Amino acid sequence: MTRRLEKTPAKVPVTAKQAGETAPKWQWVEPSVWTDRMLAALEHGVKGGKWFSLIDKVHTSSNLWAALDRVASNKGAPGVDHVTVEMFVERAEENLSKLRDELGEEQYRPQSIRRKWIPKPGSNEQRPLGIPTVRDRVAQTALRNVIEPIFEREFAEHSYGFRPGRGCKDALRRVEYLLKRGYTYVVDVDLKSYFDMIPHVPLLERVRENVSDGRILRLVEAYLKQGVLEELGEWTPEKGTPQGAVISPLLANIYLNPLDQQMAERGVEMVRYADDFIIICRSEAGAKQALRWTEEWIRAAGLTIHPEKTRIVDTGTDGFDFLGYHFAEGTKRPRKKSLKKLKDTIRNKTHRCNGYSLKAIIADVNKTLIGWFAYYKHSHRYTFLDLDPWIRMRLRSILRKRAGKRGRGRGNDNVRWTNRFFAEQGLFSLTTASASARQSALR
């Protein structure tokens, strides 16, 4: 696979200068598409605010190879044609040449999306995941390489989801900043099945506000109308953009951007990560007004607020969840669903009848703990005090079973297999890691 991708034409490095100096904030763009000259036009604005003749940049060889590079690095499952990433890469030159011709001659038609249902973290519910073919993922990535900077220029400062150089931790830092400065009323908004409910016509109108190339618009529309193959049935969606498609997060941000802008113009503090957002106010009256504005906009946009999950929270007496954390009493901890998901994962890895060596089990458990701690390390330190003993109890129960005894690891087992014993076996300690992180922050 690597040998094939090495035939990719050399990219223009981001640091290359052609017509002035590339702005640092645009260093993430695909350089084979966005030259310094185009970036200068992006910075200063194009005539009428609309971009023309973009399709030829989508199907250039360099952009398609760059798109394949990204798709290959993300791996992922095959779509309805059963072609894996490895299979597509093995015949990359042939596949990309055909794709280039189809896009250039407007003969390209996306294949149906394979839908599967995956568990929602921390709940018994499931959410749909759409899996496009590798060919369509390459084409969507090439399209995104071209149009994403155009819309990224327009997005609001308080939008953090699926944007270059931004992430969950940036959004969480903003929430903490506002809470510490007296914004004590939170409007916790829940959009019902947002990705599945986005109306196609107004979404395309949002895209048309900045892009006038009819071929690009028809390509976006083709993705919205991709067939969905689920078990033995196939259907064409009338609204929504499939979760799992490369282009979907960008389209989702484009559709909510007018709400972002409206709130910013009215001086309302909002923090949004994709369809998960909160509004933070200094007073209850301000929160109620912000909620009314939000409800009006959402109804007009053809979306639905979940009535039972949307509420106004006085953080002086109550808490709220956002991006996996629970904020309450001036602290933040993992929300209950996040803790449940962690424990469920550890339970699955520490069954008493587990046949692997203790070293192998601990190595597997560590993968989960290290990843989980990387996200939740800023939690209140008491968060980790109960987790470490519980994890060691699970491991002692395995050793107890192997010693021919029943029940959970406790009592004398704590003396037989001490905390130090597990540390010597390499078990990752959440408490130790938390203390180290706090010391580093103080330094």
Side-chain angles (χ1 to χ4, degrees):
M1 181 174 73
T2 304
R3 193 166 56 252
R4 289 281 182 178
L5 291 186
E6 283 176 352
K7 294 185 179 181
T8 306
K11 295 180 181 179
V12 178
V14 173
T15 54
K17 304 296 177 247
Q18 296 178 23
E21 193 166 313
T22 304
K25 71 176 181 178
W26 298 115
Q27 289 188 0
W28 56 271
V29 302
E30 172 50 44
S32 68
V33 175
W34 287 90
T35 63
D36 278 3
R37 184 176 179 180
M38 285 186 65
L39 286 173
L42 184 66
E43 285 280 0
H44 299 113
V46 293
K47 187 176 180 180
K50 296 189 177 185
W51 289 75
F52 299 83
S53 302
L54 293 172
I55 193 66
D56 59 313
K57 296 172 177 59
V58 173
H59 58 73
T60 61
S61 293
S62 54
N63 187 27
L64 289 175
W65 275 103
L68 177 56
D69 254 338
R70 185 169 298 184
V71 170
S73 67
N74 291 336
K75 300 180 181 179
V80 295
D81 60 358
H82 306 292
V83 175
T84 64
V85 171
E86 290 78 11
M87 292 163 64
F88 191 93
V89 168
E90 193 63 31
R91 302 176 63 180
E93 291 182 12
E94 176 187 341
N95 287 330
L96 293 186
S97 177
K98 182 179 179 183
L99 184 56
R100 182 175 62 250
D101 292 342
E102 290 176 343
L103 286 166
E105 297 167 8
E106 281 202 86
Q107 298 300 312
Y108 168 78
R109 299 291 182 273
Q111 295 171 274
S112 295
I113 287 175
R114 180 166 67 88
R115 171 171 278 195
K116 64 179 293 186
W117 292 83
I118 60 174
K120 275 190 174 182
S123 74
N124 295 322
E125 300 178 28
Q126 291 188 317
R127 67 179 179 89
L129 179 67
I131 304 175
T133 62
V134 177
R135 162 183 171 267
D136 290 338
R137 298 207 291 270
V138 172
Q140 286 190 31
T141 303
L143 172 63
R144 191 182 67 185
N145 286 347
V146 173
I147 68 172
E148 185 172 25
I150 295 171
F151 293 97
E152 178 63 27
R153 180 181 181 272
E154 308 293 326
F155 289 156
E157 185 66 25
H158 62 245
S159 168
Y160 294 91
F162 305 111
R163 293 185 60 192
R166 289 165 165 253
C168 289
K169 291 184 178 179
D170 300 303
L172 292 166
R173 276 192 287 269
R174 181 62 181 169
V175 171
E176 284 191 291
Y177 174 87
L178 293 170
L179 290 174
K180 288 176 180 177
R181 278 154 183 79
Y183 290 78
T184 56
Y185 286 87
V186 173
V187 184
D188 188 359
V189 182
D190 189 283
L191 291 179
K192 197 171 183 180
S193 304
Y194 172 62
F195 281 83
D196 293 331
M197 297 293 290
I198 301 175
H200 290 172
V201 173
L203 172 58
L204 287 168
E205 285 298 322
R206 303 264 199 277
V207 177
R208 194 174 284 110
E209 288 173 4
N210 293 91
V211 173
S212 288
D213 190 329
R215 294 164 297 176
I216 293 286
L217 295 169
R218 286 191 289 275
L219 188 55
V220 172
E221 185 174 14
Y223 286 130
L224 294 176
K225 295 186 180 301
Q226 273 180 280
V228 177
L229 185 65
E230 186 173 7
E231 296 180 348
L232 299 178
E234 185 172 0
W235 51 279
T236 302
E238 296 181 359
K239 56 185 175 181
T241 178
Q243 296 185 62
V246 174
I247 202 72
S248 287
L250 175 59
L251 296 177
N253 274 333
I254 289 171
Y255 197 65
L256 283 180
N257 187 52
L259 174 62
D260 293 340
Q261 301 297 341
Q262 182 184 109
M263 290 298 170
E265 289 169 5
R266 287 173 166 168
V268 176
E269 292 290 353
M270 177 178 175
V271 181
R272 182 172 71 80
Y273 191 95
D275 60 330
D276 195 356
F277 67 90
I278 56 176
I279 299 167
I280 310 180
C281 305
R282 289 188 181 275
S283 67
E284 185 176 12
K288 289 179 177 178
Q289 179 63 73
L291 178 56
R292 282 194 293 271
W293 286 333
T294 303
E295 289 174 331
E296 289 170 5
W297 189 93
I298 286 173
R299 278 195 298 269
L303 302 172
T304 305
I305 282 184
H306 201 300
E308 296 175 1
K309 296 181 180 179
T310 298
R311 62 193 182 118
I312 293 176
V313 177
D314 178 354
T315 59
T317 57
D318 201 0
F320 66 96
D321 293 341
F322 187 60
L323 298 181
Y325 274 93
H326 180 72
F327 291 82
E329 300 175 346
T331 66
K332 63 178 183 179
R333 305 167 185 262
R335 65 175 185 165
K336 290 181 180 179
K337 287 184 177 180
S338 302
L339 285 170
K340 181 180 183 303
K341 182 184 177 184
L342 172 67
K343 287 192 169 187
D344 287 346
T345 302
I346 297 299
R347 284 190 185 97
N348 288 334
K349 293 185 174 188
T350 55
H351 289 298
R352 293 179 203 177
C353 296
N354 192 313
Y356 292 100
S357 69
L358 182 64
K359 282 276 190 183
I361 295 170
I362 287 176
D364 193 26
V365 167
N366 281 351
K367 290 178 184 177
T368 297
L369 295 179
I370 292 170
W372 191 84
F373 180 76
Y375 188 74
Y376 290 104
K377 64 183 177 182
H378 299 295
S379 299
H380 192 281
R381 63 182 183 275
Y382 291 159
T383 300
F384 310 106
L385 294 180
D386 293 332
L387 285 172
D388 278 337
W390 180 81
I391 293 164
R392 289 192 293 264
M393 180 275 293
R394 298 287 305 177
L395 295 173
R396 289 187 181 107
S397 298
I398 294 173
L399 296 174
R400 183 180 176 87
K401 172 77 172 178
R402 292 177 181 180
K405 298 181 180 180
R406 297 180 180 179
R408 295 187 302 170
R410 53 190 174 183
N412 290 334
D413 295 330
N414 296 340
V415 178
R416 186 175 183 182
W417 299 295
T418 63
N419 296 356
R420 182 177 179 180
F421 167 80
F422 289 111
E424 291 170 349
Q425 297 298 309
L427 179 64
F428 182 81
S429 168
L430 295 167
T431 307
T432 302
S434 174
S436 177
R438 288 200 308 277
Q439 290 174 359
S440 297
L442 290 173
R443 286 198 296 270

